[in-house]
Amino acid sequence: MSRNTIFLTCSIVLNLLLFHSWYFHGEWEQSWTKNATAEAEFVASISCSGHGRAFLDGLIVDGKHVCECNACYGGPHCSVFLPECIADADSGDPMFLEPFWLKHAASSTIVVPGWHRMSYEFNDDSLISKELDAQIRKLHAVTGNAVTDGRFIIFGVGATQLLHAAVHALSTTNHPSSPSRVVASTPYYPIYKEQTEFFNSEDYKFEGDTSLCNNNSGCQGNFIELVTSPNNPDGQLKKAVLQGPSAKTIHDFAYYWPHYTPIPALADENLMIFTLSKLTGHGGSRFGWAIIKDEAVHQRMLTYMNLSTYGVARETQLRVLKLLKVAVENEGKEMFNFGYQTMRNRWRKLSKTMSLSKRFSIQELETQFCSFSEEVRGATPAYAWLKCEREEDKDCNAVLHSVNITGRHGSLFGAESRFVRLSLVKSDDDFDLLLKRMGTLVSQENNNDGINKIMTHTDEFNEFIGNNKGQ
Amino acid sequence: MSRNTIFLTCSIVLNLLLFHSWYFHGEWEQSWTKNATAEAEFVASISCSGHGRAFLDGLIVDGKHVCECNACYGGPHCSVFLPECIADADSGDPMFLEPFWLKHAASSTIVVPGWHRMSYEFNDDSLISKELDAQIRKLHAVTGNAVTDGRFIIFGVGATQLLHAAVHALSTTNHPSSPSRVVASTPYYPIYKEQTEFFNSEDYKFEGDTSLCNNNSGCQGNFIELVTSPNNPDGQLKKAVLQGPSAKTIHDFAYYWPHYTPIPALADENLMIFTLSKLTGHGGSRFGWAIIKDEAVHQRMLTYMNLSTYGVARETQLRVLKLLKVAVENEGKEMFNFGYQTMRNRWRKLSKTMSLSKRFSIQELETQFCSFSEEVRGATPAYAWLKCEREEDKDCNAVLHSVNITGRHGSLFGAESRFVRLSLVKSDDDFDLLLKRMGTLVSQENNNDGINKIMTHTDEFNEFIGNNKGQ
């Protein structure tokens, strides 16, 4: 056999092998996931200059998905900065975590077949995925922020739904003459008031600040106290104020994660509410859960869920399961470190800017031992609780508007209007613009202080010459 | 050049081409969708004998996903029929559409990246995907069942949430002394009553049957009438009973699709509610929508959504968009034909069985022109509304229990207990077992009729001989 013939034979064998591989694992393998995969990969590959994103269900123009730009960016690829745009620090939209999920796309993506869990119920007639329930318990074990052993867990369409379900479950029923009195310590999350008033139940009424009951005369009746820790808006770790058999508590632990606070201890309250939004950043997924000690309260909350929405979407539960698996990878180190580092960097920059101001102040950040990170560290809350210190700056948000910043008005939290909540959890673009505008405001103040000093001298001068002018 | 050399050159070129194709489109292309795709394909490939299914978020035993069996099937691959099992016809779980989605897996699957739509809001600050809004309008245009031009559309976490949001939006506010009176025509969907009573608002009260207002003395105050068409439980096409300026209506059109009813006309009511569950069978996705004429009502419902759950999960909206694209393919012919044919076959079988019975009757099915299918055809409702005709069968569900059938008790619908609602929309396994057991019941009746006839003769005989015995 000639050398050429040997080469040819080898080459033909190789061709056959390659053809086999290509045929069975390559182009011709038209699996049922192929279309969806190709579409998702294509849309993900659209470039939006790092200031926006194209989405699968986004607008299609001329047959093409278009970029959805971050606030203050425009143009077909989001590359144009819009300088007159408002720095919107109102919403607590936790987009600061998006880069983490972009980096972990391979482990956090899900494929949902058209036939996935069509039924109203899971196989055990519940509305709750057992695997997700177990994953949530694992998450709390990893972070050490809440006891779950022997506790009931229920899911809700965001903490929003669970908060009202909890108020409902703890309220007195069949006592229309003495509805439960819902209270929270000022400053408090505005939804508590808005929700209770909007649904206008005979069973409970919002009554404002817990101090209502500090003087004993106001303490008649059954109370439901909403305790937010770390607090929204000011980031303080809080304890219930009211005690005794007629006081029931709901602990809103939306921010009790290592991103925002040292974890001083394992929480073990009667009714604790958590939300995916502030944990992984998926506000749009509308997923929260409650950890409940008492079986009767658990049953009442389940009934609420049944009659309000009949549970939480199955595709959401599937996605949350996947996200939480990534969150606890490597004992949670990766996601929580990313979250904490991002928030710490933002706080460092903001604190540096604010340290130059006398016109504005922000809350003090407490430092304590964090059992999760096993170190002493400072709080890095989701919001700056900004105060306008000057007597005349009664409406602090109006002051911010002068440099095109908007925050959330203090009065919404039951506080004075000289307070504003500034969100620090939005995208890098949002934070950078906020910081820049705050810098402008503070440097105006310092320039003005310079001018004021000149003015003061001028006044003295005027006084001096005025005296001479005989005014 | 020798012939061998030409062959060798060609073969090497082919080698290179095949290697290129394999490298860039085959095994080595490790895209970020790969893990999720492999997992989904693996789980989908698990065999559960056609009587169950393995799911991505299902139980994992010894590191393996296990089959979740349909009711009345067991064993590791769901191949074992459990003969003593109850035929559960209680729930309206529309699993009859699952085979359609299994067949259309390639076009109905979605891939959701970890970073997909994390934000609380869409880019236009709404909670609603514009693409999905447009797709819903297209769906109604294809089926010709509802007007959407110039109407507002909002999304809800299932019709469950929208029903209560609608009652809330139409109720009188700030009139605690005269709450709106919520009514429906008997037999009505039990949730109307349960929901209104459970949330116990000062603004509206459930008052039962619309006939309350047929005698004029009961007509004081503002009414909200819930009109279900086709009706749940009996499948009748309904119109509002109450008229006039103090009567507002909510039209629950959950079943106004060609699966269940001829579509006689384009509906154009003030407030119309639809749900994905009964349209595509995805009850677990918790998705519904309302079509609203009045802007103020739309605004009030939006506020309800904001304070109740802050909208509907983004992954659900993405999935629904995909499912509805498949639903309207080929002018809706495929999905609606599948749905209608399945329901028609079930009704034919059930009607044949019931025609042998005098003890039980089911509702008459109206025949009329369907503008969607462009033919005269009979109704094929989601439920059989079964009546026990014998005087002594006062509790009809208890009669069914004797042959291991359970339906939904007539009293829940505000009707007599001699009625039972039997669900015909569950899986083939469920329907087949229900039909078999109904067959048993009817054949018992006929056998018993035989026995009764013998008994009657025996009675006459006894009477005859009794007379002779002088009793």
Side-chain angles (χ1 to χ4, degrees):
Chain A
M1 208 186 265
S2 76
R3 204 190 299 171
N4 255 8
T5 314
I6 293 170
F7 281 151
L8 182 60
T9 312
C10 289
S11 180
I12 286 169
V13 168
L14 185 60
N15 266 331
L16 288 171
L17 284 172
L18 280 168
F19 183 77
H20 178 270
S21 175
W22 176 71
Y23 187 88
F24 287 98
H25 302 283
E27 291 255 295
W28 286 14
E29 189 193 31
Q30 267 294 355
S31 92
W32 56 272
T33 58
K34 195 93 177 177
N35 293 346
T37 305
E39 194 185 356
E41 289 185 2
F42 173 73
V43 172
S45 73
I46 295 170
S47 163
C48 305
S49 314
H51 300 297
R53 204 154 305 294
F55 292 107
L56 279 161
D57 53 0
L59 202 63
I60 294 172
V61 176
D62 296 335
K64 284 179 189 164
H65 285 83
V66 297
C67 285
E68 298 184 12
C69 302
N70 293 352
C72 304
Y73 285 85
H77 296 284
C78 307
S79 56
V80 182
F81 177 68
L82 309 171
E84 297 308 311
C85 163
I86 288 173
D88 187 348
D90 181 290
S91 158
D93 204 10
M95 294 299 290
F96 77 105
L97 288 157
E98 196 193 45
F100 176 83
W101 298 104
L102 284 164
K103 194 179 158 199
H104 291 80
S107 54
S108 61
T109 294
I110 54 163
V111 168
V112 190
W115 45 264
H116 177 76
R117 291 217 184 272
M118 292 175 60
S119 176
Y120 282 115
E121 290 99 15
F122 283 86
N123 219 22
D124 60 356
D125 286 340
S126 84
L127 305 177
I128 278 179
S129 154
K130 286 286 158 295
E131 289 294 302
L132 180 51
D133 176 290
Q135 191 65 39
I136 286 172
R137 291 173 198 271
K138 192 170 174 183
L139 168 76
H140 287 294
V142 163
T143 52
N145 68 342
V147 172
T148 61
D149 281 356
R151 304 291 181 269
F152 302 97
I153 290 185
I154 75 165
F155 302 165
V157 183
T160 310
Q161 189 186 27
L162 290 163
L163 285 167
H164 195 234
V167 168
H168 189 282
L170 295 180
S171 68
T172 45
T173 47
N174 305 318
H175 296 299
S177 59
S178 60
S180 291
R181 307 171 73 179
V182 181
V183 293
S185 292
T186 306
Y188 53 75
Y189 181 42
I191 292 284
Y192 301 153
K193 180 172 188 280
E194 292 168 14
Q195 213 174 41
T196 310
E197 291 180 348
F198 183 81
F199 292 116
N200 198 19
S201 166
E202 287 190 352
D203 302 331
Y204 39 90
K205 300 292 163 202
F206 190 78
E207 303 228 357
D209 194 81
T210 39
S211 63
L212 171 81
C213 187
N214 279 350
N215 55 346
N216 268 341
S217 63
C219 285
Q220 300 296 316
N222 291 300
F223 281 84
I224 298 171
E225 183 185 352
L226 286 145
V227 184
T228 323
S229 182
N231 194 34
N232 175 0
D234 62 9
Q236 307 301 313
L237 290 172
K238 300 284 277 279
K239 295 274 175 205
V241 170
L242 307 184
Q243 307 291 338
S246 65
K248 289 167 181 166
T249 51
I250 298 166
H251 279 77
D252 179 346
F253 281 137
Y255 301 92
Y256 198 51
W257 299 107
H259 310 318
Y260 311 108
T261 176
I263 304 295
L266 202 60
D268 188 18
E269 306 292 346
N270 288 331
L271 202 170
M272 306 187 278
I273 293 175
F274 292 88
T275 166
L276 188 77
S277 311
K278 300 303 190 285
L279 167 66
T280 67
H282 293 80
S285 293
R286 315 306 311 122
F287 185 83
W289 63 95
I291 305 174
I292 306 158
K293 265 189 197 169
D294 185 72
E295 185 164 3
V297 173
H298 174 234
Q299 279 304 327
R300 291 197 67 191
M301 285 185 76
L302 278 182
T303 308
Y304 184 99
M305 291 300 149
N306 287 356
L307 287 172
S308 167
T309 59
Y310 208 66
V312 175
R314 283 331 96 85
E315 43 271 35
T316 299
Q317 296 193 39
L318 174 65
R319 189 173 186 207
V320 176
L321 176 63
K322 179 64 100 174
L323 296 172
L324 294 190
K325 279 182 181 168
V326 179
V328 302
E329 260 173 23
N330 200 8
E331 294 300 300
K333 294 275 180 293
E334 281 198 67
M335 190 187 75
F336 289 112
N337 277 359
F338 178 89
Y340 172 66
Q341 297 293 344
T342 307
M343 291 306 297
R344 194 182 58 168
N345 287 339
R346 292 184 178 190
W347 270 101
R348 279 185 179 165
K349 288 176 186 170
L350 183 70
S351 301
K352 194 175 162 192
T353 299
M354 300 315 294
S355 69
L356 303 174
S357 173
K358 282 176 183 159
R359 188 178 185 187
F360 305 101
S361 66
I362 48 174
Q363 75 264 45
E364 294 272 319
L365 302 178
E366 247 188 286
T367 293
Q368 57 188 309
F369 184 76
C370 172
S371 62
F372 173 74
S373 62
E374 297 182 319
E375 61 179 5
V376 173
R377 70 191 202 188
T380 46
Y383 309 106
W385 186 231
L386 187 83
K387 187 180 177 187
C388 280
E389 295 284 353
R390 285 186 192 161
E391 178 55 31
E392 65 271 29
D393 289 347
K394 287 190 171 62
D395 183 346
C396 196
N397 212 19
V399 174
L400 298 184
H401 288 171
S402 70
V403 289
N404 262 349
I405 294 174
T406 188
R408 191 165 290 183
H409 215 280
S411 61
L412 288 170
F413 300 86
E416 282 181 79
S417 292
R418 66 171 61 255
F419 286 94
V420 172
R421 189 191 80 171
L422 295 178
S423 171
L424 307 180
V425 292
K426 297 178 79 180
S427 71
D428 283 339
D429 282 347
D430 286 308
F431 178 76
D432 292 346
L433 189 63
L434 171 68
L435 190 71
K436 193 178 156 200
R437 296 268 167 86
M438 285 304 298
T440 306
L441 202 56
V442 171
S443 70
Q444 272 177 10
E445 174 193 338
N446 291 325
N447 291 342
N448 287 348
D449 273 358
I451 292 166
N452 283 343
K453 277 177 197 160
I454 295 164
M455 287 284 286
T456 311
H457 288 296
T458 314
D459 286 350
E460 283 167 10
F461 175 73
N462 282 344
E463 202 178 320
F464 171 69
I465 58 160
N467 282 346
N468 285 358
K469 282 203 286 183
Q471 281 178 348
Chain B
M1 208 185 264
S2 76
R3 203 191 298 172
N4 255 6
T5 314
I6 293 169
F7 280 150
L8 182 59
T9 311
C10 289
S11 183
I12 286 169
V13 168
L14 188 60
N15 269 332
L16 289 171
L17 283 173
L18 281 167
F19 183 76
H20 178 271
S21 175
W22 177 72
Y23 187 88
F24 286 98
H25 302 284
E27 293 254 296
W28 286 12
E29 189 192 32
Q30 265 294 357
S31 91
W32 55 273
T33 57
K34 196 93 177 177
N35 293 347
T37 306
E39 193 186 356
E41 289 186 1
F42 174 73
V43 172
S45 73
I46 296 169
S47 162
C48 305
S49 314
H51 301 296
R53 201 154 308 292
F55 293 107
L56 279 161
D57 53 359
L59 203 63
I60 294 172
V61 176
D62 297 334
K64 286 180 188 164
H65 285 83
V66 298
C67 286
E68 298 184 12
C69 302
N70 293 352
C72 304
Y73 285 86
H77 296 284
C78 307
S79 55
V80 182
F81 177 68
L82 310 170
E84 299 307 312
C85 161
I86 289 173
D88 186 349
D90 181 290
S91 159
D93 204 10
M95 294 298 290
F96 76 104
L97 288 157
E98 197 193 44
F100 176 84
W101 297 105
L102 284 164
K103 194 180 158 199
H104 291 81
S107 53
S108 62
T109 294
I110 55 163
V111 168
V112 190
W115 45 263
H116 176 75
R117 291 214 184 276
M118 292 175 61
S119 177
Y120 281 116
E121 289 99 15
F122 284 87
N123 219 22
D124 60 355
D125 286 340
S126 83
L127 306 177
I128 278 179
S129 154
K130 287 287 159 293
E131 290 294 302
L132 180 51
D133 176 289
Q135 191 65 40
I136 286 172
R137 291 173 198 270
K138 192 170 175 183
L139 167 76
H140 286 295
V142 163
T143 52
N145 68 342
V147 172
T148 61
D149 281 355
R151 304 293 181 266
F152 302 97
I153 290 185
I154 75 165
F155 302 165
V157 183
T160 311
Q161 188 186 28
L162 289 162
L163 285 166
H164 194 234
V167 168
H168 189 280
L170 295 180
S171 67
T172 46
T173 47
N174 304 319
H175 296 300
S177 58
S178 60
S180 291
R181 307 172 73 178
V182 181
V183 293
S185 292
T186 305
Y188 53 75
Y189 181 41
I191 292 284
Y192 302 152
K193 179 173 189 280
E194 293 167 15
Q195 216 174 40
T196 310
E197 291 180 348
F198 182 79
F199 292 116
N200 199 18
S201 166
E202 286 191 350
D203 302 330
Y204 39 90
K205 301 291 164 201
F206 191 78
E207 302 229 355
D209 194 80
T210 39
S211 63
L212 170 81
C213 185
N214 279 349
N215 55 346
N216 268 342
S217 63
C219 286
Q220 300 296 315
N222 292 300
F223 281 84
I224 299 171
E225 182 184 352
L226 287 146
V227 184
T228 323
S229 182
N231 194 35
N232 175 0
D234 62 9
Q236 307 301 312
L237 290 171
K238 301 283 278 278
K239 296 274 176 206
V241 171
L242 307 185
Q243 307 291 339
S246 65
K248 290 167 180 165
T249 50
I250 298 166
H251 279 76
D252 179 345
F253 280 137
Y255 301 91
Y256 198 52
W257 300 107
H259 310 319
Y260 312 108
T261 175
I263 305 294
L266 203 59
D268 187 18
E269 306 293 345
N270 289 331
L271 202 170
M272 307 187 277
I273 293 174
F274 292 88
T275 166
L276 188 78
S277 310
K278 300 302 189 286
L279 167 65
T280 67
H282 293 80
S285 294
R286 314 306 310 122
F287 185 83
W289 63 95
I291 304 173
I292 307 158
K293 266 189 197 168
D294 185 72
E295 186 165 2
V297 173
H298 174 234
Q299 281 302 329
R300 292 196 67 190
M301 285 185 76
L302 278 182
T303 308
Y304 184 99
M305 290 300 148
N306 286 356
L307 287 171
S308 167
T309 58
Y310 208 68
V312 174
R314 282 334 94 86
E315 43 271 35
T316 300
Q317 296 193 39
L318 174 65
R319 188 172 187 210
V320 176
L321 176 63
K322 179 65 100 175
L323 296 172
L324 294 190
K325 280 181 181 168
V326 178
V328 302
E329 260 172 23
N330 200 6
E331 294 300 300
K333 294 276 181 293
E334 280 199 67
M335 191 186 76
F336 290 111
N337 276 358
F338 177 90
Y340 172 66
Q341 297 294 344
T342 307
M343 292 306 296
R344 194 182 58 170
N345 287 339
R346 291 184 178 190
W347 270 102
R348 279 184 179 165
K349 288 176 186 169
L350 183 70
S351 300
K352 193 175 163 192
T353 298
M354 300 315 294
S355 70
L356 303 173
S357 173
K358 282 178 184 156
R359 187 179 185 185
F360 305 101
S361 66
I362 49 175
Q363 76 265 44
E364 295 272 319
L365 302 178
E366 247 187 285
T367 292
Q368 57 189 309
F369 184 76
C370 172
S371 62
F372 173 74
S373 61
E374 297 182 317
E375 61 179 4
V376 173
R377 69 191 201 187
T380 46
Y383 309 106
W385 186 231
L386 187 83
K387 187 179 179 188
C388 279
E389 296 283 352
R390 284 185 192 162
E391 178 56 32
E392 66 271 29
D393 289 346
K394 286 189 174 60
D395 183 347
C396 196
N397 213 19
V399 174
L400 298 183
H401 288 171
S402 70
V403 287
N404 262 350
I405 294 174
T406 188
R408 191 166 290 183
H409 215 279
S411 62
L412 288 170
F413 301 86
E416 282 180 78
S417 293
R418 65 172 61 255
F419 285 95
V420 173
R421 189 191 81 171
L422 294 178
S423 172
L424 307 181
V425 291
K426 296 178 80 181
S427 71
D428 282 340
D429 282 348
D430 287 307
F431 178 76
D432 292 347
L433 189 64
L434 170 68
L435 190 72
K436 192 177 156 200
R437 296 269 166 86
M438 284 305 296
T440 307
L441 201 56
V442 171
S443 70
Q444 271 177 9
E445 174 194 336
N446 291 325
N447 291 342
N448 288 347
D449 274 356
I451 293 167
N452 283 344
K453 277 177 197 158
I454 294 165
M455 286 285 285
T456 311
H457 288 295
T458 315
D459 286 350
E460 282 168 9
F461 175 73
N462 283 343
E463 201 179 320
F464 170 70
I465 58 161
N467 283 346
N468 284 355
K469 282 204 283 184
Q471 282 176 348

